[in-house]
Amino acid sequence: MDEAVQVIRLLTAQGKTLATAESCTGGLLGKLLTDVPGASAVYLGGVISYAYSVKEKILGVDKALLEEKGAVCEEVALQMAQGARQRLGVDFALSTTGNAGPGADEKNPNVGEIYVALAYQGGSLCKKLTLHGNREENRFEACKAVLRLLLEHCNS
């Protein structure tokens, strides 16, 4: 994936580090990054936080927020990225949370609604995606989108 290669090259050139916090992508983002030769110079690791309890206990996502809104919202995506950045001690952290499909539940009814976020020193960004592919396509597109979010931030 071009975006993963670009991220690894950019962060290597800048001497910066990266971590991930994934929910709906289930480790795919980390896989795409570690498929790139030289990724170990910048990618320190990630947390696959599929369960609310992992989001809360490992990443520091607010329990009341999860109970009120569920995991598919901007606030959770931002807290996941911020938690990963802080806990893993990196320059940048990326997060993905949403409903990749095929089914829905009471708190996450909109299949294809995914939030991707970036946390960095001094701030964070989040983008809402509305995707229309199958589960695999939605997970892949979410990974591409969050990598682009980092590239756009670093190149602006």
Side-chain angles (χ1 to χ4, degrees):
M1 169 191 277
D2 289 343
E3 290 87 354
V5 171
Q6 291 172 33
V7 163
I8 297 302
R9 287 182 182 160
L10 176 68
L11 297 183
T12 299
Q14 293 181 352
K16 302 288 186 182
T17 54
L18 175 65
T20 54
E22 300 183 65
S23 186
C24 64
T25 52
L28 179 59
L29 180 58
K31 181 221 181 292
L32 293 169
L33 289 164
T34 58
D35 281 349
V36 179
S40 61
V42 299
Y43 181 64
L44 301 192
V47 175
I48 300 171
S49 58
Y50 221 55
Y52 284 13
S53 61
V54 176
K55 288 175 181 68
E56 177 193 347
K57 293 175 185 167
I58 304 298
L59 295 172
V61 175
D62 183 66
K63 182 178 182 176
L65 173 64
L66 290 167
E67 289 173 351
E68 178 189 343
K69 290 192 170 186
V72 184
C73 66
E74 178 177 348
E75 296 94 330
V76 169
L78 289 167
Q79 288 185 20
M80 287 173 62
Q82 292 159 351
R85 182 177 178 275
Q86 179 184 43
R87 285 163 171 77
L88 295 170
V90 294
D91 298 297
F92 299 103
L94 301 173
S95 72
T96 60
T97 188
N99 185 343
D105 62 47
E106 187 178 306
K107 286 192 176 175
N108 307 304
N110 301 318
V111 173
E113 180 180 343
I114 297 175
Y115 293 83
V116 296
L118 162 67
Y120 53 91
Q121 183 175 352
S124 55
L125 302 168
C126 186
K127 182 175 184 179
K128 178 183 178 182
L129 308 175
T130 303
L131 303 173
H132 304 286
N134 62 35
R135 180 178 180 81
E136 182 179 338
E137 292 164 340
N138 288 344
R139 292 173 68 223
F140 188 75
E141 288 302 317
C143 291
K144 285 174 57 174
V146 76
L147 291 168
R148 279 192 219 114
L149 189 64
L150 175 58
L151 290 168
E152 290 166 7
H153 170 75
C154 289
N155 290 322
S156 63

mmCIF file of all heavy atoms in Angstrom, residues 93-128:
data_model
loop_
_atom_site.group_PDB
_atom_site.id
_atom_site.type_symbol
_atom_site.label_atom_id
_atom_site.label_comp_id
_atom_site.label_asym_id
_atom_site.label_seq_id
_atom_site.Cartn_x
_atom_site.Cartn_y
_atom_site.Cartn_z
ATOM 1 N N ALA A 93 0.190 8.975 16.875
ATOM 2 C CA ALA A 93 -0.613 7.767 17.033
ATOM 3 C C ALA A 93 -1.848 7.888 16.155
ATOM 4 O O ALA A 93 -2.439 8.967 16.036
ATOM 5 C CB ALA A 93 -1.015 7.550 18.483
ATOM 6 N N LEU A 94 -2.221 6.772 15.559
ATOM 7 C CA LEU A 94 -3.385 6.694 14.692
ATOM 8 C C LEU A 94 -4.416 5.764 15.315
ATOM 9 O O LEU A 94 -4.040 4.762 15.933
ATOM 10 C CB LEU A 94 -2.986 6.137 13.324
ATOM 11 C CG LEU A 94 -1.926 6.915 12.548
ATOM 12 C CD1 LEU A 94 -1.522 6.148 11.294
ATOM 13 C CD2 LEU A 94 -2.435 8.293 12.202
ATOM 14 N N SER A 95 -5.694 6.076 15.129
ATOM 15 C CA SER A 95 -6.740 5.186 15.623
ATOM 16 C C SER A 95 -7.828 4.992 14.583
ATOM 17 O O SER A 95 -8.044 5.848 13.726
ATOM 18 C CB SER A 95 -7.346 5.711 16.926
ATOM 19 O OG SER A 95 -8.153 6.843 16.684
ATOM 20 N N THR A 96 -8.491 3.837 14.707
ATOM 21 C CA THR A 96 -9.626 3.508 13.857
ATOM 22 C C THR A 96 -10.726 2.912 14.732
ATOM 23 O O THR A 96 -10.457 2.042 15.550
ATOM 24 C CB THR A 96 -9.256 2.482 12.772
ATOM 25 O OG1 THR A 96 -8.794 1.263 13.400
ATOM 26 C CG2 THR A 96 -8.168 3.011 11.852
ATOM 27 N N THR A 97 -11.941 3.392 14.567
ATOM 28 C CA THR A 97 -13.080 2.813 15.273
ATOM 29 C C THR A 97 -14.321 3.025 14.425
ATOM 30 O O THR A 97 -14.470 4.051 13.775
ATOM 31 C CB THR A 97 -13.259 3.425 16.683
ATOM 32 O OG1 THR A 97 -14.275 2.694 17.380
ATOM 33 C CG2 THR A 97 -13.600 4.889 16.659
ATOM 34 N N GLY A 98 -15.174 2.035 14.400
ATOM 35 C CA GLY A 98 -16.377 2.175 13.598
ATOM 36 C C GLY A 98 -17.058 0.849 13.359
ATOM 37 O O GLY A 98 -16.743 -0.155 13.986
ATOM 38 N N ASN A 99 -17.974 0.858 12.427
ATOM 39 C CA ASN A 99 -18.719 -0.337 12.053
ATOM 40 C C ASN A 99 -18.366 -0.677 10.610
ATOM 41 O O ASN A 99 -18.875 -0.072 9.683
ATOM 42 C CB ASN A 99 -20.220 -0.095 12.213
ATOM 43 C CG ASN A 99 -21.030 -1.338 11.955
ATOM 44 O OD1 ASN A 99 -20.541 -2.296 11.360
ATOM 45 N ND2 ASN A 99 -22.280 -1.332 12.376
ATOM 46 N N ALA A 100 -17.483 -1.659 10.442
ATOM 47 C CA ALA A 100 -17.060 -2.075 9.108
ATOM 48 C C ALA A 100 -18.077 -2.985 8.434
ATOM 49 O O ALA A 100 -17.992 -3.221 7.241
ATOM 50 C CB ALA A 100 -15.702 -2.771 9.192
ATOM 51 N N GLY A 101 -19.029 -3.506 9.199
ATOM 52 C CA GLY A 101 -20.055 -4.377 8.651
ATOM 53 C C GLY A 101 -19.749 -5.838 8.938
ATOM 54 O O GLY A 101 -18.747 -6.143 9.552
ATOM 55 N N PRO A 102 -20.558 -6.731 8.522
ATOM 56 C CA PRO A 102 -21.763 -6.492 7.732
ATOM 57 C C PRO A 102 -22.984 -6.128 8.576
ATOM 58 O O PRO A 102 -23.941 -5.565 8.067
ATOM 59 C CB PRO A 102 -21.991 -7.827 7.027
ATOM 60 C CG PRO A 102 -21.474 -8.845 7.990
ATOM 61 C CD PRO A 102 -20.295 -8.171 8.674
ATOM 62 N N GLY A 103 -22.957 -6.431 9.868
ATOM 63 C CA GLY A 103 -24.139 -6.200 10.690
ATOM 64 C C GLY A 103 -24.030 -4.944 11.525
ATOM 65 O O GLY A 103 -23.003 -4.267 11.556
ATOM 66 N N ALA A 104 -25.103 -4.647 12.202
ATOM 67 C CA ALA A 104 -25.173 -3.464 13.053
ATOM 68 C C ALA A 104 -25.654 -3.889 14.429
ATOM 69 O O ALA A 104 -26.156 -4.989 14.612
ATOM 70 C CB ALA A 104 -26.122 -2.441 12.450
ATOM 71 N N ASP A 105 -25.481 -2.996 15.394
ATOM 72 C CA ASP A 105 -26.044 -3.225 16.713
ATOM 73 C C ASP A 105 -26.674 -1.935 17.201
ATOM 74 O O ASP A 105 -26.633 -0.914 16.516
ATOM 75 C CB ASP A 105 -24.994 -3.773 17.689
ATOM 76 C CG ASP A 105 -23.840 -2.824 17.938
ATOM 77 O OD1 ASP A 105 -24.082 -1.624 18.190
ATOM 78 O OD2 ASP A 105 -22.684 -3.280 17.910
ATOM 79 N N GLU A 106 -27.243 -1.989 18.375
ATOM 80 C CA GLU A 106 -28.012 -0.847 18.887
ATOM 81 C C GLU A 106 -27.195 0.431 18.982
ATOM 82 O O GLU A 106 -27.655 1.497 18.586
ATOM 83 C CB GLU A 106 -28.573 -1.213 20.268
ATOM 84 C CG GLU A 106 -29.530 -0.185 20.829
ATOM 85 C CD GLU A 106 -30.084 -0.626 22.176
ATOM 86 O OE1 GLU A 106 -30.617 -1.745 22.254
ATOM 87 O OE2 GLU A 106 -29.970 0.167 23.122
ATOM 88 N N LYS A 107 -25.953 0.342 19.477
ATOM 89 C CA LYS A 107 -25.137 1.541 19.641
ATOM 90 C C LYS A 107 -24.374 1.913 18.374
ATOM 91 O O LYS A 107 -23.889 3.031 18.258
ATOM 92 C CB LYS A 107 -24.151 1.356 20.797
ATOM 93 C CG LYS A 107 -24.820 1.441 22.155
ATOM 94 C CD LYS A 107 -23.815 1.542 23.260
ATOM 95 C CE LYS A 107 -24.528 1.722 24.589
ATOM 96 N NZ LYS A 107 -23.628 1.712 25.710
ATOM 97 N N ASN A 108 -24.221 0.982 17.454
ATOM 98 C CA ASN A 108 -23.449 1.223 16.226
ATOM 99 C C ASN A 108 -24.266 0.786 15.006
ATOM 100 O O ASN A 108 -23.926 -0.175 14.336
ATOM 101 C CB ASN A 108 -22.127 0.443 16.276
ATOM 102 C CG ASN A 108 -21.354 0.731 17.539
ATOM 103 O OD1 ASN A 108 -21.054 1.878 17.835
ATOM 104 N ND2 ASN A 108 -21.042 -0.299 18.292
ATOM 105 N N PRO A 109 -25.347 1.503 14.707
ATOM 106 C CA PRO A 109 -26.283 1.021 13.692
ATOM 107 C C PRO A 109 -25.863 1.260 12.245
ATOM 108 O O PRO A 109 -26.403 0.624 11.347
ATOM 109 C CB PRO A 109 -27.560 1.800 14.007
ATOM 110 C CG PRO A 109 -27.065 3.085 14.604
ATOM 111 C CD PRO A 109 -25.829 2.703 15.376
ATOM 112 N N ASN A 110 -24.936 2.167 11.997
ATOM 113 C CA ASN A 110 -24.640 2.559 10.627
ATOM 114 C C ASN A 110 -23.425 1.827 10.067
ATOM 115 O O ASN A 110 -22.290 2.209 10.318
ATOM 116 C CB ASN A 110 -24.418 4.076 10.557
ATOM 117 C CG ASN A 110 -25.624 4.853 11.038
ATOM 118 O OD1 ASN A 110 -26.757 4.496 10.720
ATOM 119 N ND2 ASN A 110 -25.389 5.892 11.803
ATOM 120 N N VAL A 111 -23.677 0.796 9.285
ATOM 121 C CA VAL A 111 -22.590 0.060 8.648
ATOM 122 C C VAL A 111 -21.828 1.014 7.730
ATOM 123 O O VAL A 111 -22.426 1.783 6.976
ATOM 124 C CB VAL A 111 -23.136 -1.148 7.857
ATOM 125 C CG1 VAL A 111 -22.033 -1.807 7.048
ATOM 126 C CG2 VAL A 111 -23.787 -2.141 8.806
ATOM 127 N N GLY A 112 -20.521 0.997 7.833
ATOM 128 C CA GLY A 112 -19.681 1.866 7.017
ATOM 129 C C GLY A 112 -19.322 3.183 7.679
ATOM 130 O O GLY A 112 -18.536 3.959 7.138
ATOM 131 N N GLU A 113 -19.890 3.458 8.866
ATOM 132 C CA GLU A 113 -19.526 4.670 9.604
ATOM 133 C C GLU A 113 -18.268 4.365 10.424
ATOM 134 O O GLU A 113 -18.294 3.540 11.333
ATOM 135 C CB GLU A 113 -20.653 5.113 10.536
ATOM 136 C CG GLU A 113 -20.319 6.375 11.315
ATOM 137 C CD GLU A 113 -21.449 6.819 12.236
ATOM 138 O OE1 GLU A 113 -22.597 6.367 12.064
ATOM 139 O OE2 GLU A 113 -21.167 7.626 13.133
ATOM 140 N N ILE A 114 -17.182 5.020 10.052
ATOM 141 C CA ILE A 114 -15.890 4.779 10.691
ATOM 142 C C ILE A 114 -15.227 6.122 10.970
ATOM 143 O O ILE A 114 -15.306 7.048 10.162
ATOM 144 C CB ILE A 114 -14.986 3.899 9.791
ATOM 145 C CG1 ILE A 114 -15.632 2.517 9.607
ATOM 146 C CG2 ILE A 114 -13.580 3.779 10.364
ATOM 147 C CD1 ILE A 114 -14.899 1.591 8.654
ATOM 148 N N TYR A 115 -14.581 6.197 12.112
ATOM 149 C CA TYR A 115 -13.834 7.392 12.497
ATOM 150 C C TYR A 115 -12.359 7.031 12.562
ATOM 151 O O TYR A 115 -11.991 5.995 13.125
ATOM 152 C CB TYR A 115 -14.302 7.924 13.856
ATOM 153 C CG TYR A 115 -15.705 8.456 13.809
ATOM 154 C CD1 TYR A 115 -16.800 7.600 13.921
ATOM 155 C CD2 TYR A 115 -15.940 9.813 13.614
ATOM 156 C CE1 TYR A 115 -18.092 8.085 13.850
ATOM 157 C CE2 TYR A 115 -17.244 10.308 13.543
ATOM 158 C CZ TYR A 115 -18.308 9.426 13.658
ATOM 159 O OH TYR A 115 -19.586 9.919 13.586
ATOM 160 N N VAL A 116 -11.536 7.888 11.968
ATOM 161 C CA VAL A 116 -10.082 7.712 12.019
ATOM 162 C C VAL A 116 -9.499 8.967 12.658
ATOM 163 O O VAL A 116 -9.976 10.072 12.428
ATOM 164 C CB VAL A 116 -9.484 7.452 10.622
ATOM 165 C CG1 VAL A 116 -10.010 6.140 10.040
ATOM 166 C CG2 VAL A 116 -9.751 8.597 9.655
ATOM 167 N N ALA A 117 -8.487 8.772 13.492
ATOM 168 C CA ALA A 117 -7.936 9.920 14.218
ATOM 169 C C ALA A 117 -6.420 9.849 14.272
ATOM 170 O O ALA A 117 -5.816 8.786 14.170
ATOM 171 C CB ALA A 117 -8.507 9.988 15.631
ATOM 172 N N LEU A 118 -5.850 11.024 14.462
ATOM 173 C CA LEU A 118 -4.415 11.220 14.599
ATOM 174 C C LEU A 118 -4.175 12.050 15.850
ATOM 175 O O LEU A 118 -4.820 13.083 16.036
ATOM 176 C CB LEU A 118 -3.876 11.972 13.373
ATOM 177 C CG LEU A 118 -2.513 12.647 13.497
ATOM 178 C CD1 LEU A 118 -1.400 11.614 13.644
ATOM 179 C CD2 LEU A 118 -2.253 13.547 12.296
ATOM 180 N N ALA A 119 -3.249 11.608 16.687
ATOM 181 C CA ALA A 119 -2.815 12.405 17.831
ATOM 182 C C ALA A 119 -1.338 12.716 17.645
ATOM 183 O O ALA A 119 -0.555 11.861 17.208
ATOM 184 C CB ALA A 119 -3.028 11.641 19.134
ATOM 185 N N TYR A 120 -0.962 13.945 17.976
ATOM 186 C CA TYR A 120 0.414 14.405 17.844
ATOM 187 C C TYR A 120 0.678 15.403 18.959
ATOM 188 O O TYR A 120 -0.260 15.831 19.661
ATOM 189 C CB TYR A 120 0.661 15.035 16.471
ATOM 190 C CG TYR A 120 -0.325 16.125 16.118
ATOM 191 C CD1 TYR A 120 -0.077 17.463 16.427
ATOM 192 C CD2 TYR A 120 -1.529 15.808 15.490
ATOM 193 C CE1 TYR A 120 -0.997 18.457 16.115
ATOM 194 C CE2 TYR A 120 -2.455 16.798 15.190
ATOM 195 C CZ TYR A 120 -2.185 18.112 15.501
ATOM 196 O OH TYR A 120 -3.098 19.094 15.204
ATOM 197 N N GLN A 121 1.929 15.774 19.131
ATOM 198 C CA GLN A 121 2.245 16.728 20.190
ATOM 199 C C GLN A 121 1.488 18.026 19.932
ATOM 200 O O GLN A 121 1.628 18.630 18.884
ATOM 201 C CB GLN A 121 3.740 16.999 20.249
ATOM 202 C CG GLN A 121 4.122 17.929 21.385
ATOM 203 C CD GLN A 121 5.622 18.096 21.513
ATOM 204 O OE1 GLN A 121 6.397 17.434 20.867
ATOM 205 N NE2 GLN A 121 6.017 19.020 22.366
ATOM 206 N N GLY A 122 0.671 18.399 20.879
ATOM 207 C CA GLY A 122 -0.054 19.654 20.767
ATOM 208 C C GLY A 122 -1.420 19.578 20.126
ATOM 209 O O GLY A 122 -2.094 20.597 19.986
ATOM 210 N N GLY A 123 -1.867 18.397 19.730
ATOM 211 C CA GLY A 123 -3.194 18.358 19.140
ATOM 212 C C GLY A 123 -3.615 17.014 18.608
ATOM 213 O O GLY A 123 -2.929 16.009 18.765
ATOM 214 N N SER A 124 -4.768 17.012 17.950
ATOM 215 C CA SER A 124 -5.304 15.801 17.351
ATOM 216 C C SER A 124 -6.313 16.183 16.268
ATOM 217 O O SER A 124 -6.837 17.296 16.255
ATOM 218 C CB SER A 124 -5.970 14.916 18.412
ATOM 219 O OG SER A 124 -6.956 15.637 19.114
ATOM 220 N N LEU A 125 -6.539 15.246 15.376
ATOM 221 C CA LEU A 125 -7.470 15.424 14.256
ATOM 222 C C LEU A 125 -8.323 14.173 14.127
ATOM 223 O O LEU A 125 -7.860 13.075 14.428
ATOM 224 C CB LEU A 125 -6.711 15.603 12.937
ATOM 225 C CG LEU A 125 -5.726 16.744 12.810
ATOM 226 C CD1 LEU A 125 -4.870 16.558 11.554
ATOM 227 C CD2 LEU A 125 -6.487 18.053 12.741
ATOM 228 N N CYS A 126 -9.532 14.346 13.647
ATOM 229 C CA CYS A 126 -10.405 13.195 13.417
ATOM 230 C C CYS A 126 -11.173 13.404 12.125
ATOM 231 O O CYS A 126 -11.524 14.532 11.778
ATOM 232 C CB CYS A 126 -11.371 13.011 14.583
ATOM 233 S SG CYS A 126 -12.374 11.511 14.456
ATOM 234 N N LYS A 127 -11.431 12.312 11.443
ATOM 235 C CA LYS A 127 -12.205 12.362 10.204
ATOM 236 C C LYS A 127 -13.262 11.264 10.236
ATOM 237 O O LYS A 127 -12.970 10.123 10.595
ATOM 238 C CB LYS A 127 -11.278 12.167 9.002
ATOM 239 C CG LYS A 127 -11.971 12.249 7.674
ATOM 240 C CD LYS A 127 -10.985 12.175 6.535
ATOM 241 C CE LYS A 127 -11.706 12.350 5.211
ATOM 242 N NZ LYS A 127 -10.784 12.305 4.079
ATOM 243 N N LYS A 128 -14.474 11.632 9.867
ATOM 244 C CA LYS A 128 -15.563 10.657 9.762
ATOM 245 C C LYS A 128 -15.614 10.132 8.335
ATOM 246 O O LYS A 128 -15.590 10.902 7.376
ATOM 247 C CB LYS A 128 -16.900 11.305 10.122
ATOM 248 C CG LYS A 128 -18.076 10.352 9.995
ATOM 249 C CD LYS A 128 -19.386 11.053 10.293
ATOM 250 C CE LYS A 128 -20.553 10.093 10.114
ATOM 251 N NZ LYS A 128 -21.839 10.766 10.355
#
